[in-house]
């Protein structure tokens, strides 16, 4: 079996350089890294990682903290992180537990305290439990995905701007009775990003002098959650809005399904805008603000690697774009809609 | 900071026993383990895992191989595995890459070959690339989730029986024109479990002498995939079946949405059965065969731990139950439906 010396010889570099190139500990140029990795692959060289760890003090592992796995956003981010780490030959240690659960507390006091990672990517961390600050205290690089940053490096969309643009799109079509749907179920606090979206919505309503037509209807941030809340909201003709800004696409799709069941035509009698560009968006012709969570995951890995190479790299918050994707779930508030609304009142 | 000696003293056991209880290396009774873990928690003892690894040869890490993260089944299994590993204080190393991709090949030749785990849980492994056999060759315990087992320990539902029962339910309601919807998109091979489901469907149709009314319509195994295929299938009145068995709930829900858009009433004019009891099933009143993938993940961890404690433990295939959950998406083939079908022909 090939050793590091064979790899170094084949790549025409010193053993120390070959080792740095393969472990990620210390600087090597991208060209050298590629050459060494190529040589290692050709020779079928597999570093014994325990030995690598002893030499470098590195684990070649990145910890990823997520609240849960069965929501689209988190699964997508995790997918992007996994891809980017595989490319860089890092292992991914997964730490998933719901916020404020016993498992979550245990995760922080026991697992993360073992520090079996070179750095952490923290996805969807909420400010409340000061978890991000605790991660930083472990003394390893931390990158946050999902809005809240606590001064660490971070990547997210601009949630405030996304919801503002969604709302302005509806205002531009003549709507004034615009409800923000989703978040804050059972009076629990909204997530950091969702709260930013709600604030962006209110900012747009205020700026247009339409605050009086605004309203926030809470729901679980899921498709069934959006469906349930929308059935109730839209079932009452007296208070039915002409347009919805949904906190995310899953809630928006739930609302569209609710509207169809109630015989309310989208977009003729109800306009709906989401945020995400979820894989279901196209199937429901949903106009939405697009984000690419897998890309955010990849960006997070890039930011983390920069800090691993040079711990003096200053933290920065990268905002990924979130363009408006026009499909067919929004329409101008025409006379017909107005008439229906008027008759209803 | 508390050491292992302090923990042993507090728990009233030897240092060696305390170490075994905390590392999972070697046998201790459940009662002793609980007592030691309690003492460790009280004292705030965090084992330095590099030292533990040197002593035990164990990594306290379980590798989990999954094809992707954004399908319900895989996310749920992974969630169950994570929970069960957290309880046992094992780290989870995630290895996710799509079958037959470069990343997948790289994962097997490079990452998994590093063997930075004490055992592997392999989710949704397909027989084709002999990946399960390769995992076994690494010489660590392996448990498979999702149907194919290659003689390893495994956990799944009985896919053949689930689809057979779904089909028999429709046959019992008088249906004979029953289509199996989903799988085999673009002529690619069906997954192992999905192929078992299709076989179970055909077995039921054969047994009822209804083979002539049977048909398999391929689709991507997603909600949009089921929607698209169903729009085409149901749009043609001449060949429209009276009932569908969907390969999974996501496809079933896609079909229900397609039916609604086409003005076909479920269950009056079309019965639909799924397999999963997905979180969307209730919202669509979907009758389905329930499985609990998170429970399967937990069972997989239990089977793996048994093999870690005693490598002589024989492999076994655990079949989890998949009961029929009756909601409102199926109905007896009544005269009205028959009439509609007859007129259509």
């Amino acid at each position: 079996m090939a050793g590091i010396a064979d790899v170094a010889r084949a790549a025409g570099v010193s053993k120390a350089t070959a080792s740095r190139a393969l472990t990620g500990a210390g600087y090597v140029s991208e060209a050298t890294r590629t050459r060494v990795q190529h040589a290692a692959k050709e020779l079928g060289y597999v570093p014994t990682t325990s030995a690598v760890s002893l030499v470098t003090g590195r684990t070649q592992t990145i910890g990823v903290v997520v609240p849960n796995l069965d929501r689209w956003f988190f699964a997508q981010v995790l997918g992007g992180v996994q891809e980017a780490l595989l490319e860089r030959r890092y292992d991914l240690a997964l730490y998933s537990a719901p916020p404020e659960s016993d498992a979550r507390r245990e995760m922080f006091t026991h697992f993360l305290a073992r520090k079996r990672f070179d750095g952490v990517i923290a996805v969807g961390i909420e400010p409340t439990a000061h978890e991000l600050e605790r991660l930083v205290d472990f003394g390893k690089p931390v990158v946050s995905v999902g809005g809240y940053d606590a001064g660490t490096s971070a990547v997210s969309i601009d949630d405030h701007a996304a919801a503002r643009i969604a709302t302005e799109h509806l205002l531009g079509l003549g709507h004034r009775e615009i409800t923000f749907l989703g978040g804050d179920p059972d009076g629990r606090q909204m997530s950091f990003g969702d709260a930013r979206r709600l604030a962006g919505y209110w900012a747009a309503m205020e700026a247009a002098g339409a605050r009086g037509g605004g309203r926030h209807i809470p729901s679980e941030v899921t498709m069934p959650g959006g469906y349930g809340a929308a059935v109730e909201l839209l079932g009452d003709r007296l208070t039915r809005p002409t347009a919805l800004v949904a906190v995310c696409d899953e809630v928006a799709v739930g609302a569209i399904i609710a509207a169809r069941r109630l015989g309310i035509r989208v977009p003729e009698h109800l306009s709906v805008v989401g945020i995400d560009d979820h894989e279901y968006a196209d199937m429901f012709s949903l106009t939405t603000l697009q984000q690419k969570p897998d890309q955010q995951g990849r960006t997070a890995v890039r930011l983390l690697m920069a800090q691993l190479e040079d711990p003096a790299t200053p933290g920065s918050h990268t905002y990924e774009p979130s363009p408006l994707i026009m499909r067919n779930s929004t329409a101008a508030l025409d006379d017909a809609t107005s008439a229906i609304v008027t008759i209803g009142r």
Side-chain angles (χ1 to χ4, degrees), chain A residues 9-343:
Chain A
R9 198 160 34 238
V13 299
S14 71
K15 271 172 64 178
T17 301
S19 173
R20 279 207 307 280
L22 293 173
T23 59
Y27 176 78
V28 277
S29 73
E30 204 47 45
T32 302
R33 185 189 313 281
T34 305
R35 204 159 73 243
V36 173
Q37 285 178 345
H38 186 75
K41 199 172 172 181
E42 287 284 302
L43 295 166
Y45 171 73
V46 179
T48 56
T49 48
S50 50
V52 170
S53 296
L54 282 172
V55 172
T56 61
R58 293 263 174 107
T59 61
Q60 284 289 108
T61 297
I62 300 301
V64 181
V65 178
V66 291
N68 63 61
L69 301 165
D70 60 359
R71 295 264 74 83
W72 177 81
F73 178 80
F74 298 124
Q76 293 281 319
V77 170
L78 188 57
V81 168
Q82 172 86 78
E83 264 184 45
L85 289 179
L86 284 177
E87 284 167 15
R88 289 169 175 81
R89 309 217 152 181
Y90 271 79
D91 274 318
L92 189 169
L94 183 64
Y95 300 101
S96 166
E100 297 177 36
S101 64
D102 284 346
R104 182 85 175 189
R105 279 182 283 272
E106 174 80 351
M107 212 171 77
F108 271 81
T109 54
H110 183 81
F111 283 86
L112 293 164
R114 293 202 288 206
K115 295 193 279 190
R116 302 179 71 175
F117 44 74
D118 299 334
V120 176
I121 294 174
V123 189
I125 293 272
E126 295 302 320
T128 41
H130 303 291
E131 291 178 340
L132 203 50
E133 291 79 355
R134 291 176 68 188
L135 289 175
V136 170
D137 283 346
F138 289 136
K140 309 269 187 180
V142 177
V143 175
S144 160
V145 181
Y148 178 59
D149 65 36
T152 56
S153 275
V155 52
S156 68
I157 60 166
D158 183 337
D159 291 291
H160 190 280
R164 180 179 53 74
I165 291 165
T167 310
E168 284 170 355
H169 167 62
L170 294 169
L171 289 162
L173 290 169
H175 294 275
R176 286 297 174 277
E177 308 285 318
I178 305 172
T179 294
F180 185 93
L181 185 66
D184 191 26
D186 313 323
R188 277 181 277 128
Q189 213 179 345
M190 289 180 92
S191 81
F192 184 82
D194 291 351
R196 296 280 302 152
R197 292 178 189 181
L198 180 58
Y201 155 82
W202 280 121
M205 293 296 276
E206 291 269 11
R211 199 187 162 87
R215 193 174 165 198
H216 173 216
I217 297 289
S219 86
E220 289 277 350
V221 184
T222 60
M223 192 199 290
Y227 175 81
V231 164
E232 225 170 288
L233 172 68
L234 304 175
D236 184 349
R237 298 191 64 151
L238 289 181
T239 55
R240 183 191 304 167
T242 65
L244 299 176
V245 175
V247 71
C248 70
D249 279 5
E250 284 153 305
V251 168
V253 166
I256 289 175
I257 294 171
R260 286 185 185 165
R261 293 226 81 173
L262 294 166
I264 299 166
R265 295 167 65 97
V266 176
E268 293 86 344
H269 302 153
L270 180 75
S271 287
V272 181
V273 190
I275 297 175
D276 273 346
D277 201 27
H278 188 283
E279 59 172 339
Y280 297 163
D282 195 43
M283 174 179 162
F284 290 91
S285 298
L286 181 64
T287 292
T288 189
L289 278 284
Q290 181 183 64
Q291 68 170 328
K292 297 189 168 172
D294 57 336
Q295 184 52 46
Q296 293 176 47
R298 300 181 68 91
T299 301
V301 170
R302 193 167 46 69
L303 293 172
L304 193 65
M305 290 297 145
Q307 297 209 341
L308 279 173
E309 289 199 3
D310 179 5
T313 309
S316 63
H317 196 131
T318 302
Y319 289 99
E320 299 271 337
S322 55
L324 180 65
I325 306 293
M326 292 293 295
R327 292 199 181 87
N328 199 24
S329 65
T330 59
L333 184 76
D334 62 12
D335 298 339
T337 316
S338 305
I340 288 166
V341 172
T342 309
I343 292 163

